[in-house]
Amino acid sequence: MVGQGSANSRNLGHMWSQRAVVDYGLARRATIQSIRSGHMEPRDVCDAHPYLLRAARFHGEPTERACPICEHRNVTNVTYVYGDELGRLAGRVKVTADLVEMAQEYGEFRVYVVEVCQGCSWNHLAVSFVLGTGDPPGPCL
């Protein structure tokens, strides 16, 4: 399961098929520490692509966590799905409620949750994991 401090732990902790979880919290903390110690500049990490900012604005899920860089706005989680079985859905932004349904419909797909600050453009991959029934894909028709 996703750890307590992870990006989507409150929303995805109940996901019955969640596996192969990679929490990028340690990398996040190291990046923030590098900025605070002066080894990196905020502009080095506040570089969200305009499409990511747009996805956060229109499709992201708000959080109660303040941006670790500007501390003026809360970060937004943007969740992307990828997998061979997904076809046209691969690479799309999904909300947590969609993942529950998808986990019962597809054999396996990977989920990536990116936290984004719409104020200063901070963005960081927070967590990734696999969802799905675990069944092999059906025969191609």
Side-chain angles (χ1 to χ4, degrees), residues 2 5-12 28 52-66 74-80 93-96 99 111-118 122-127 129:
V2 178
S6 298
N8 251 1
S9 61
R10 288 176 296 278
N11 295 336
L12 296 172
R28 179 185 185 272
L52 179 57
L53 291 170
R54 189 174 306 137
R57 181 175 179 190
F58 294 109
H59 306 289
E61 295 179 281
T63 72
E64 297 296 320
R65 294 184 321 277
N74 290 346
V75 294
T76 302
N77 287 339
V78 180
T79 303
Y80 292 93
V93 176
K94 294 292 180 183
V95 294
T96 303
L99 298 179
V111 178
Y112 296 90
V113 180
V114 180
E115 70 174 22
V116 181
C117 177
Q118 297 176 61
W122 156 262
N123 64 106
H124 199 279
L125 178 59
V127 66
F129 51 90

Side-chain angles (χ1 to χ4, degrees), residues 13 24 26 33 39 47 66 75 88 92 100 102 119 126 128 134 136 139:
Y24 297 92
L26 192 59
Q33 182 58 35
H39 290 95
D47 60 353
V75 294
R88 297 181 328 195
R92 299 246 177 124
V100 174
M102 290 177 68
S128 69

